[in-house]
Amino acid sequence: MEKKQKIVQQRIYIIAAVACVAFLLASVLFLRYAIDENKRETQEYMQEVAQQSKLAVDKQVQGDFQTLEGIAGILGAMDNLDFEALLPVINDINQENAFIRMGFTDRSGLTDGVDIDGTVYKDIDLKDKGFVERAYAGEEVLTKTQWAETNDFWVNYYAVPIWHNGEVVKVLCAVNNSGAFSEIMDTSMFDGKGYASIIDKDGNYIIRSNHPSLDQDRDARNLFELYPFSTEEKDRMRADFERGESGFVEYTHRGVRMWASYTPLEVNGWYIFSVVPEAEINETFTMMTWGLVGIIVGAILVFVFLMVLIKRTNDKGIRALRKMAFTDQLTGYRNYPKFLIDVRKMLGRKRDKVYSLWYSDLKNFKTVNAMFGYDVGDRILKFWAGLIESDMREGETFCRVSGDNFVVLREYISQEESLRRFHWIVSSLEAFPDTAKRGYKLEMCSGIYVIGEDDGDMTINDMMDAANVAQKSVKNLSGARVAFYSAEMHKKIVREAEMEARMESALLNGEFQVYMQPKIDIQHGDTIAGAEALVRWISPKDGFLAPGEFIPLFERNGFVIRLDEYMFESVCRMYRERLDGGLKMPVVISVNVSRLCMLQPGFVERYIGIKNQYRIPDRCIELEFTESIAFDNHALFRSIVKEFQENGFLCSLDDFGAGHSSLNILKDLPMDVLKIDMLFFREGENAHRAREVVKGIVNMAKALHMKTVAEGVESLEQVEFLRRIGCDVVQGYVFSKPLPIAEFDDFVALCEKREENQ
């Protein structure tokens, strides 16, 4: 019996020992698993935070370069570049962008600049800043952080070349406080205990974080010299840097174990290097270890209790990490990475719903921030996010992508139902108290992409791009707008991109040709009175391109300025050639002038100079201005018209009746010709009323000693009506379509022959 008891006790001891060992092993294995899982989650989070910092830095840099490119492009397109006179201009422009300084740099590095406070600096030597030679070679340059002696802090230099007549004549440079990048990069990680810096491919620091833990290492200039990476780690990191890949590394510095991730930027091959102390991550797990030791030494019950506690603590920590990684810091709702995860899950399921992806933003949000302040701007975005959340249905989700851009996945029922939801958001935004009480109406524009069953090959980004294309198609229209994506929109974007890529060479190659549409004097036997010069694009690749295809695009990108001047000079050259050749010319050739041309410095002087260069007789060239130009800047327009008339030009007001049509315009402007818009000559249920209006316009123009031209006339009945009421000239297909120069010459000869026979 005693022997049996000993055997039982031994078995119990053995079982207890095995249980303890098994429990210990299980505890160690679980802790190892939990630490590894936590490490994996933390690595993902650090990569996501680094990606967000990357997007913010890339967006900042791209936005700065786009601003400088736009300024450089405008300056390069000017005929006469007086860079000293342009300093106040770039200072005014910079008020919207807040560079510390902007200026012009010559090849020797000497720079004339102007601070944001208006202080002008002359002959500052920047040749040692690392951008002069590269910028003059045609590159756009963002330098590493450098000490600015004049400002006594660290800065980065931007530089873009100013191209003029095919060569770089100056470099437009701008200076920004590197603290702006530090603020972007110092994303809150683990309650501010993590930090980020920017390095180059060799590990050299470009921009250092302002985190206080780096104070002892401020003099270090290279990542690999500062931190004791192993040879293997250095080789792996350098290989990643050369390939432009992200990565993760662990190291020990000053006795502290660190975890770091690196992510490439789209600037100069730089990287964001994000760091967090391992102790901050594993603090919870250290407590777990002590708990496990207590459990093993204590009792199985305590062990079980603490195991449950560990599990709960671990779950809580993971939830906290997920919340930090997947929450938009401004709105408090999900951020873009979490939105992508949720959308992939929703669209990946076998679904009985049709979804639509919305891309929305607020129009003129920069103006809102300027007028009301950034605090109000942030409250608007939070208010807007709350509106979207309150309109969410089961299976729908949304996020703020960046700035004032929101993307929403919604159930799609019909266009009408989508429009109702859009207008509900619009009306709610209009009622936002801070703006509504001051009479400012917030306007939202949205693009909607309806996700079809055959869209499985499209990524979420592809769908967002499609919705963004639809949104951009209505963004420049007045009021709140929404548009549904269509294949035609994509074709239009591609088509416009192709035209933009070819417009410069087309101008040089003479693809833009002058067509003439005759103007007929209907009060003197239907004789030719002149013609309007119209542009046509004859492309070797695409053939004939109508103005409606390319003029709106050129008005948006500014190329219309060069095209207008090209057309004007072509008409003057043609006029002179025919006069020198003994050919008769119609009394007046009219040329269109765009609004952008009128706003260019030296516009009047250039046109007068071209007229004088070709010795064009006075009152033989007529400049046509649309009524919208006169309406937008009445005083400027009046002075321009007066100066042109004093130098032998005729001036006409085109498209009268198409837009704002104000009698004050006619009263105050000494125009020579009034062109009545073709809208009045379209047949419809109000045709009689339209004719009465036309009759009144003609009578009014006569009283003001203005000649009247009716454009867009297509029937003899309309001609007879216009003849009866005293309209002077008709332009339209009823007499002739726009003609190439040779055919126009034949038309003029035929008209003259007919006049001789009468």
Side-chain angles (χ1 to χ4, degrees):
M1 179 68 69
E2 184 176 344
K3 186 177 180 179
K4 288 183 177 180
Q5 287 179 342
K6 287 183 178 180
I7 293 174
V8 170
Q9 287 178 347
Q10 288 176 351
R11 289 177 177 175
I12 292 173
Y13 292 148
I14 292 171
I15 292 171
V18 170
C20 288
V21 171
F23 179 76
L24 178 61
L25 289 174
S27 300
V28 171
L29 290 174
F30 174 80
L31 184 59
R32 182 72 263 171
Y33 166 79
I35 291 173
D36 290 341
E37 187 68 9
N38 180 64
K39 182 176 181 179
R40 183 184 64 80
E41 294 272 352
T42 303
Q43 290 179 9
E44 290 180 359
Y45 165 69
M46 291 180 68
Q47 289 287 352
E48 289 162 358
V49 171
Q51 186 66 18
Q52 292 176 12
S53 297
K54 161 190 160 54
L55 291 173
V57 171
D58 286 341
K59 181 177 180 182
Q60 176 73 31
V61 173
Q62 291 170 10
D64 289 342
F65 270 129
Q66 287 173 3
T67 298
L68 295 174
E69 289 167 2
I71 298 171
I74 292 173
L75 296 178
M78 297 172 64
D79 287 341
N80 298 314
L81 291 174
D82 184 351
F83 290 99
E84 183 174 356
L86 288 171
L87 284 176
V89 176
I90 66 169
N91 181 53
D92 293 339
I93 295 173
N94 189 34
Q95 299 307 310
E96 293 291 329
N97 304 287
F99 288 110
I100 296 171
R101 177 180 298 165
M102 294 180 70
F104 303 110
T105 303
D106 64 20
R107 291 183 181 274
S108 66
L110 292 181
T111 302
D112 293 341
V114 57
D115 278 358
I116 193 171
D117 63 1
T119 303
V120 176
Y121 293 85
K122 295 287 187 177
D123 295 329
I124 303 173
D125 189 359
L126 300 182
K127 63 184 178 183
D128 61 339
K129 301 306 180 183
F131 67 82
V132 177
E133 292 184 1
R134 292 172 60 191
Y136 270 97
E139 293 183 43
E140 295 176 351
V141 184
L142 171 60
T143 70
K144 65 181 182 180
T145 303
Q146 305 177 45
W147 184 255
E149 294 81 7
T150 56
N151 299 95
D152 203 33
F153 51 72
W154 295 96
V155 299
N156 300 91
Y157 291 84
Y158 290 81
V160 299
I162 300 175
W163 292 89
H164 182 71
N165 293 331
E167 65 176 352
V168 179
V169 296
K170 284 282 186 177
V171 167
L172 176 64
C173 71
V175 185
N176 222 348
N177 192 325
S178 63
F181 288 113
S182 298
E183 291 175 4
I184 293 174
M185 293 186 303
D186 281 339
T187 306
S188 176
M189 296 189 300
F190 298 93
D191 295 327
K193 298 181 176 70
Y195 52 89
S197 301
I198 292 181
I199 60 173
D200 64 17
K201 289 184 177 181
D202 297 321
N204 296 315
Y205 279 103
I206 304 299
I207 300 173
R208 296 292 294 271
S209 169
N210 293 324
H211 199 274
S213 64
L214 297 176
D215 289 344
Q216 298 180 66
D217 304 319
R218 290 296 173 194
D219 294 332
R221 290 290 173 261
N222 187 277
L223 187 75
F224 296 116
E225 296 173 359
L226 176 61
Y227 300 129
F229 300 117
S230 67
T231 302
E232 180 181 351
E233 288 173 333
K234 289 181 180 179
D235 292 340
R236 176 171 58 82
M237 292 171 68
R238 288 191 172 106
D240 286 344
F241 290 169
E242 288 299 321
R243 293 192 299 267
E245 295 179 355
S246 302
F248 184 86
V249 67
E250 301 177 47
Y251 63 92
T252 301
H253 180 58
R254 299 187 185 278
V256 179
R257 190 68 178 167
M258 298 290 190
W259 286 4
S261 68
Y262 46 90
T263 299
L265 291 171
E266 296 178 3
V267 180
N268 296 340
W270 294 347
Y271 270 74
I272 286 186
F273 190 78
S274 304
V275 181
V276 64
E278 183 185 39
E280 300 300 333
I281 302 169
N282 290 331
E283 180 180 3
T284 301
F285 292 92
T286 302
M287 295 174 60
M288 292 180 188
T289 302
W290 285 107
L292 287 173
V293 171
I295 293 167
I296 296 170
V297 173
I300 296 298
L301 292 177
V302 175
F303 169 77
V304 172
F305 172 77
L306 290 179
M307 284 293 292
V308 174
L309 179 61
I310 291 169
K311 183 65 168 59
R312 290 180 178 176
T313 304
N314 188 46
D315 289 345
K316 183 179 179 181
I318 292 175
R319 285 196 299 271
L321 288 174
R322 288 185 180 277
K323 184 176 181 182
M324 293 172 66
F326 294 137
T327 300
D328 180 72
Q329 298 301 310
L330 176 63
T331 65
Y333 296 102
R334 68 183 53 76
N335 61 11
Y336 183 56
K338 183 64 168 65
F339 173 81
L340 292 179
I341 294 171
D342 292 345
V343 170
R344 290 191 186 103
K345 288 181 180 178
M346 292 175 184
L347 298 183
R349 301 187 188 117
K350 185 177 180 181
R351 41 191 172 91
D352 55 358
K353 295 179 181 178
V354 178
Y355 283 98
S356 60
L357 198 67
W358 297 47
Y359 195 98
S360 306
D361 74 357
L362 293 178
K363 300 174 79 170
N364 303 315
F365 192 63
K366 287 185 178 179
T367 303
V368 172
N369 281 329
M371 288 177 60
F372 300 97
Y374 286 93
D375 288 344
V376 172
D378 289 346
R379 289 202 299 273
I380 290 172
L381 296 178
K382 293 177 184 178
F383 178 73
W384 187 8
L387 290 175
I388 299 174
E389 174 66 20
S390 67
D391 190 41
M392 285 289 97
R393 300 171 182 169
E394 184 178 355
E396 298 182 343
T397 186
F398 78 98
C399 78
R400 185 175 72 104
V401 180
S402 63
D404 63 322
N405 298 313
F406 281 79
V407 60
V408 188
L409 182 74
R410 285 192 169 104
E411 179 184 0
Y412 179 78
I413 298 174
S414 67
Q415 283 198 7
E416 292 76 13
E417 194 267 349
S418 297
L419 290 174
R420 283 196 297 272
R421 298 183 77 174
F422 171 80
H423 289 299
W424 179 82
I425 294 284
V426 168
S427 61
S428 300
L429 280 171
E430 290 176 355
F432 182 72
D434 289 343
T435 52
K437 68 184 179 182
R438 291 177 57 180
Y440 188 90
K441 184 165 70 172
L442 295 171
E443 295 178 342
M444 180 181 80
C445 58
S446 299
I448 301 176
Y449 177 75
V450 179
I451 303 172
E453 294 182 358
D454 56 349
D455 288 343
D457 294 336
M458 293 184 68
T459 66
I460 305 302
N461 286 332
D462 292 336
M463 298 175 187
M464 284 180 58
D465 288 342
N468 197 15
V469 165
Q471 184 252 12
K472 287 182 178 178
S473 71
V474 295
K475 189 168 185 178
N476 292 325
L477 302 179
S478 61
R481 297 279 181 165
V482 61
F484 289 84
Y485 175 82
S486 65
E488 287 70 23
M489 289 180 180
H490 178 72
K491 291 178 182 177
K492 182 181 179 183
I493 295 295
V494 173
R495 177 72 164 167
E496 289 186 346
E498 291 176 349
M499 288 192 291
E500 280 194 300
R502 289 164 33 212
M503 62 188 185
E504 295 282 355
S505 60
L507 189 66
L508 294 175
N509 296 334
E511 295 178 22
F512 295 105
Q513 297 185 15
V514 177
Y515 272 50
M516 306 289 267
Q517 185 168 28
K519 295 181 180 180
I520 305 301
D521 184 344
I522 61 174
Q523 299 299 333
H524 298 87
D526 293 346
T527 57
I528 188 161
E532 179 179 0
L534 301 169
V535 64
R536 297 293 184 267
W537 188 350
I538 313 298
S539 167
K541 177 183 177 182
D542 298 322
F544 183 89
L545 299 176
E549 290 189 71
F550 58 86
I551 290 297
L553 171 65
F554 292 171
E555 287 176 341
R556 292 197 302 271
N557 65 22
F559 189 70
V560 72
I561 298 169
R562 293 180 59 192
L563 182 59
D564 275 3
E565 189 168 323
Y566 170 84
M567 286 290 295
F568 176 69
E569 185 165 2
S570 298
V571 168
C572 290
R573 185 185 306 112
M574 179 206 71
Y575 210 110
R576 172 44 53 192
E577 289 172 354
R578 277 151 181 74
L579 290 176
D580 292 345
L583 295 177
K584 292 183 179 180
M585 286 296 296
V587 176
V588 176
I589 301 295
S590 60
V591 183
N592 290 288
V593 178
S594 70
R595 179 177 179 274
L596 287 178
C597 279
M598 192 188 78
L599 298 176
Q600 293 301 302
F603 155 65
V604 177
E605 292 77 8
R606 285 198 303 277
Y607 273 51
I608 293 173
I610 293 171
K611 172 181 176 292
N612 294 336
Q613 175 188 344
Y614 289 97
R615 307 188 314 280
I616 305 300
D618 286 350
R619 303 183 68 79
C620 289
I621 296 292
E622 175 185 311
L623 300 179
E624 292 192 7
F625 301 89
T626 61
E627 66 166 357
S628 61
I629 297 177
F631 193 87
D632 290 342
N633 199 328
H634 190 68
L636 174 63
F637 182 67
R638 178 181 174 84
S639 65
I640 287 175
V641 167
K642 185 176 180 181
E643 190 169 356
F644 272 129
Q645 289 174 333
E646 290 173 351
N647 284 274
F649 286 87
L650 295 173
C651 295
S652 68
L653 192 62
D654 194 11
D655 296 336
F656 186 77
H660 303 94
S661 295
S662 170
L663 296 181
N664 281 329
I665 293 176
L666 297 182
K667 175 176 68 70
D668 295 336
L669 295 176
M671 305 301 291
D672 301 292
V673 180
L674 183 67
K675 293 191 73 175
I676 305 171
D677 188 75
M678 65 177 65
L679 292 174
F680 286 108
F681 304 107
R682 293 179 182 172
E683 297 298 331
E685 61 181 22
N686 293 320
H688 173 72
R689 295 170 64 89
R691 291 192 173 196
E692 290 300 318
V693 172
V694 172
K695 184 177 179 181
I697 292 173
V698 171
N699 290 333
M700 179 176 57
K702 284 183 178 181
L704 295 173
H705 306 291
M706 296 172 65
K707 193 173 184 178
T708 52
V709 177
E711 59 180 340
V713 179
E714 298 180 352
S715 72
L716 291 174
E717 181 186 357
Q718 292 172 340
V719 173
E720 291 306 317
F721 164 72
L722 291 166
R723 199 192 315 273
R724 287 196 308 272
I725 66 173
C727 180
D728 299 297
V729 174
V730 162
Q731 175 185 345
Y733 276 62
V734 66
F735 288 113
S736 175
K737 66 181 181 180
L739 302 170
I741 296 297
E743 294 182 24
F744 175 70
D745 288 340
D746 294 340
F747 183 89
V748 172
L750 182 63
C751 290
E752 291 175 347
K753 184 176 181 181
R754 188 178 64 229
E755 291 175 23
E756 292 174 358
N757 294 333
Q758 289 178 350

